[in-house]
């Protein structure tokens, strides 16, 4: 009899714990929903957004319908709006709607500070390429513009893909190799580890997807290898082969519906 009572008590306690956890989740989703709603008017398809989506499609073999692309071109931002539910898919072109642009800027500033503050002799060649071009602040602003533009924050990276390619083939050519990629990603991982990316568990993997998509583009453009050396062991496990990174990517359904156009 006592054992049965104890079991019933445990069941009641478990049920109460489940209710508390469910309420926390509901509250968290509602908080995200309100934040996203407040950012809607600041969203937009940037100079690089659609090209970034194309790179994502080619890398992950994912699906992004032509109609949604046309909607973005016309200013309908629905596909740039993240679902506040953490159990739903999140795409990097929805990140500005979810986490805002301040967090992105802070991440980028920390990334370049780590490069400029690393005075080790063995990485001097890497740091010097950046120093010869401009200050850490200048690099931070330009990189922030590129990320925000690609992530649904509107037309801010003037020149889009053409500008990006020109920069890498002129100013940054010395970095466009495996050694450069290894160091670049190492500093970025450190910055991501220290960043405030909200409590949404989708954000970090989503940023990693963006970085992977762009790094794979660069590896093809400049003929260098990626893999564990570049991404680290944890990332490499996720990205074993670009054709099978995420099962069922061809079945992805990106939320659609009506939305106000960007003014």
């Amino acid at each position: 009899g006592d054992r049965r009572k104890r079991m019933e008590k445990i069941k009641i306690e478990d049920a109460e714990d489940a209710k508390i956890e469910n309420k926390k989740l509901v509250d968290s989703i509602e908080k995200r929903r309100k934040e996203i709603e407040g950012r809607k008017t600041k969203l937009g398809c940037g100079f690089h957004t659609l090209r970034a989506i194309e790179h994502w499609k080619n890398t992950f073999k994912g699906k992004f319908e032509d109609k949604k692309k046309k909607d973005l071109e016309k200013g309908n931002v629905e596909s740039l709006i993240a679902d506040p539910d953490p159990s739903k898919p999140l795409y990097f072109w929805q990140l500005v709607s979810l986490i805002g642009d301040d967090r992105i800027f802070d991440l980028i500033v920390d990334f370049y500070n780590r490069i400029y503050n690393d005075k080790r002799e063995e990485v001097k060649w890497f740091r010097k390429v950046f120093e010869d071009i401009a200050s850490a602040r200048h690099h931070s602003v330009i990189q922030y513009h590129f990320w925000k533009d690609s992530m649904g924050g509107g037309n801010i990276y003037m020149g889009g893909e053409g500008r990006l390619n020109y920069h890498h083939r002129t100013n940054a050519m010395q970095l466009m190799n495996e050694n450069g990629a290894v160091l670049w990603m190492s500093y970025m991982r450190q910055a991501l580890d220290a960043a405030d990316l909200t409590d949404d568990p989708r954000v970090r993997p989503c940023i990693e997807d963006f970085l992977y998509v762009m790094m794979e583009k660069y590896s093809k453009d400049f003929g260098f290898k990626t893999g564990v050396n570049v991404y680290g062991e944890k990332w490499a496990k996720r990205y074993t082969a670009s054709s099978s990174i995420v099962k069922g990517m061809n079945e992805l359904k990106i939320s659609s519906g009506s939305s106000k156009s960007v003014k």
Side-chain angles (χ1 to χ4, degrees):
D2 290 341
R3 183 173 180 275
R4 185 174 180 180
K5 288 180 180 179
R6 286 197 302 271
M7 292 298 294
E8 288 177 351
K9 184 180 179 182
I10 291 172
K11 286 181 180 180
I12 292 171
E13 289 174 350
D14 286 347
E16 290 299 319
D17 289 343
K19 286 181 182 178
I20 293 171
E21 289 302 314
N22 186 59
K23 186 177 186 306
K24 287 180 180 178
L25 177 60
V26 171
D27 290 346
S28 178
I29 291 174
E30 179 61 17
K31 180 183 176 182
R32 289 193 195 106
R33 187 193 66 75
K34 289 180 179 178
E35 290 174 347
I36 291 169
E37 188 68 28
R39 298 186 183 112
K40 273 188 179 182
T41 57
K42 298 180 180 179
L43 303 180
C45 187
F47 294 111
H48 190 254
T49 312
L50 293 177
R51 287 295 293 159
I53 291 172
E54 283 299 315
H55 294 316
W56 174 85
K57 285 175 59 178
N58 294 334
T59 303
F60 290 128
K61 310 303 178 187
K63 180 180 180 182
F64 192 72
E65 297 170 9
D66 289 339
K67 181 182 181 301
K68 290 183 173 57
K69 286 178 62 177
K70 290 177 181 178
D71 283 346
L72 289 182
E73 290 168 348
K74 291 177 181 177
N76 187 333
V77 301
E78 187 67 27
S79 293
L80 300 176
I81 299 171
D83 191 316
D85 186 344
S87 68
K88 303 297 183 182
L90 175 69
Y91 309 96
F92 66 73
W93 52 90
Q94 300 171 334
L95 279 168
V96 171
S97 76
L98 183 65
I99 67 173
D101 49 10
D102 287 345
R103 287 187 175 90
I104 295 172
F105 184 68
D106 290 344
L107 168 63
I108 298 301
V109 168
D110 183 45
F111 166 71
Y112 281 106
N113 284 341
R114 289 175 186 276
I115 293 175
Y116 275 69
N117 293 334
D118 190 347
K119 304 302 182 183
R120 291 177 297 161
E121 188 64 27
E122 61 265 32
V123 298
K124 181 179 179 180
W125 69 273
F126 183 83
R127 185 183 71 250
K128 192 174 185 301
V129 175
F130 292 95
E131 291 174 337
D132 287 348
I133 298 171
S135 66
R137 179 71 178 183
H138 174 85
H139 285 296
S140 297
V141 171
I142 300 303
Q143 186 76 262
Y144 160 69
H145 286 175
F146 173 64
W147 280 44
K148 182 179 177 181
D149 187 292
S150 301
M151 295 175 177
N155 289 327
I156 190 170
Y157 186 69
M158 297 289 292
E161 183 110 329
R163 176 185 181 182
L164 181 71
N165 292 338
Y166 178 81
H167 168 69
H168 288 147
R169 294 192 179 279
T170 53
N171 299 330
M173 189 63 187
Q174 291 172 266
L175 303 177
M176 307 309 290
N177 52 60
E178 185 176 352
N179 290 334
V182 167
L183 283 171
W184 199 100
M185 290 298 292
S186 175
Y187 291 116
M188 180 53 71
R189 283 196 298 273
Q190 293 171 36
L192 284 168
D193 288 343
D196 170 20
L197 301 176
T198 76
D199 61 351
D200 192 314
R202 301 171 296 172
V203 175
R204 171 74 182 256
C206 191
I207 293 176
E208 291 175 355
D209 284 349
F210 172 69
L211 293 169
Y212 178 80
V213 165
M214 297 311 300
M215 189 61 73
E216 289 301 296
K217 166 188 155 44
Y218 304 146
S219 73
K220 291 181 176 65
D221 290 348
F222 295 93
F224 64 83
K225 294 181 180 179
T226 54
V228 176
N229 286 343
V230 172
Y231 300 116
E233 187 175 348
K234 185 177 180 181
W235 286 28
K237 285 181 179 178
R238 290 181 60 210
Y239 304 126
T240 303
S242 61
S243 62
S244 60
I245 298 167
V246 181
K247 290 183 179 180
M249 288 300 268
N250 287 324
E251 303 303 320
L252 282 175
K253 301 296 183 182
I254 300 172
S255 71
S256 61
S258 61
S259 175
K260 296 178 182 179
S261 297
V262 178
K263 302 287 186 181

